[in-house]
Amino acid sequence: MAVYNVTEGAETFTCNAYLATGGRPTLVDAGSMAGVEEVIAGRVDDLAAVVLTHQHGDHVAELDAVCEAFDPVEVVAYADHPRRTRAIDDGDRVEIGDETFEVVYTPGHADDHVSLVSETTLYSGDVVVHDDGAFDYGSFGRTDMEGQSRETLIESIERLLERMPPGVEHMYAGHGGAFHGDVRDVVETALGRAEKREPKYDD
């Protein structure tokens, strides 16, 4: 199973949207880059599903375009959405590419946020990222906007660590670069930084 960041190189603000090929070609988040459906079509003939980590605009703006290009396609999400065809909850399982992932409810950055973890791979959305403008190794989603909560985010990262198998070595986050190695150490580092309760970004 190969994983491609189909919004890589976007000139507009977007999340990372990941296409997992294999037995069940699946897109994790749709992003906000116009033309993303064309990039996907250059990699696969059919798309089985789109799984949303959460519904902030940079993760779902191009969902309609993707659904129309690959109709019919299953849309998997925690919260209601006009395109959703399957609702998921904490502890559910979803097939992405060639692997089975457990859904871990991880709010704090967004009320509907979920992370997806298999025996080898973590799709962390925005709850934990490897590198971003704030930190180069082990960062966490912002919690300074309305409806967000640092305390809830900390609880979510702790829950993610409890549920993560020991052999996870690939992390695909909503922003920054992909990481391959000791994913648990990255997540633990992010937790330690979040627990300091300091602002993520300088004013």
Side-chain angles (χ1 to χ4, degrees):
M1 177 180 72
V3 178
Y4 301 97
N5 180 354
V6 292
T7 54
E8 187 173 18
E11 296 181 358
T12 55
F13 179 69
T14 179
C15 75
N16 296 325
Y18 294 106
L19 173 65
T21 60
R24 184 172 166 79
T26 302
L27 185 69
V28 178
D29 290 326
S32 56
M33 184 187 80
V36 67
E37 71 278 9
E38 298 172 7
V39 180
I40 297 167
R43 295 286 185 183
V44 294
D45 294 328
D46 296 299
L47 188 67
V50 181
V51 181
L52 302 178
T53 62
H54 62 297
Q55 295 186 36
H56 284 170
D58 57 315
H59 291 252
V60 300
E62 290 300 308
L63 180 60
D64 283 346
V66 171
C67 289
E68 289 164 8
F70 293 97
D71 183 45
V73 61
E74 182 180 51
V75 176
V76 182
Y78 180 90
D80 191 27
H81 187 281
R83 291 283 188 177
R84 185 178 73 173
T85 59
R86 177 187 169 192
I88 51 172
D89 204 345
D90 186 64
D92 287 349
R93 296 187 179 276
V94 295
E95 301 295 323
I96 298 174
D98 293 326
E99 292 190 88
T100 300
F101 288 76
E102 181 181 6
V103 176
V104 182
Y105 181 48
T106 48
H109 175 73
D111 287 345
D112 65 331
H113 198 292
V114 296
S115 300
L116 309 157
V117 63
S118 72
E119 293 294 323
T120 68
T121 302
L122 169 65
Y123 291 99
S124 59
D126 290 358
V127 68
V128 172
V129 303
H130 171 239
D131 57 342
D132 58 15
F135 303 106
D136 291 333
Y137 181 93
S139 191
F140 55 90
R142 67 185 307 161
T143 56
D144 58 323
M145 302 178 74
E146 184 177 356
Q148 299 177 334
S149 167
R150 177 68 64 87
E151 297 306 315
T152 302
L153 183 81
I154 290 169
E155 293 172 358
S156 291
I157 299 174
E158 291 173 339
R159 183 181 309 112
L160 182 59
L161 282 168
E162 290 173 359
R163 304 264 285 278
M164 189 186 305
V168 176
E169 57 185 3
H170 309 290
M171 184 173 81
Y172 301 101
H175 299 279
F179 175 79
H180 307 285
D182 188 352
V183 172
R184 177 169 292 274
D185 188 61
V186 176
V187 178
E188 288 176 343
T189 300
L191 176 60
R193 287 188 169 130
E195 287 176 331
K196 293 179 180 178
R197 275 77 172 179
E198 298 172 353
K200 179 178 176 180
Y201 296 107
D202 295 330
D203 292 333

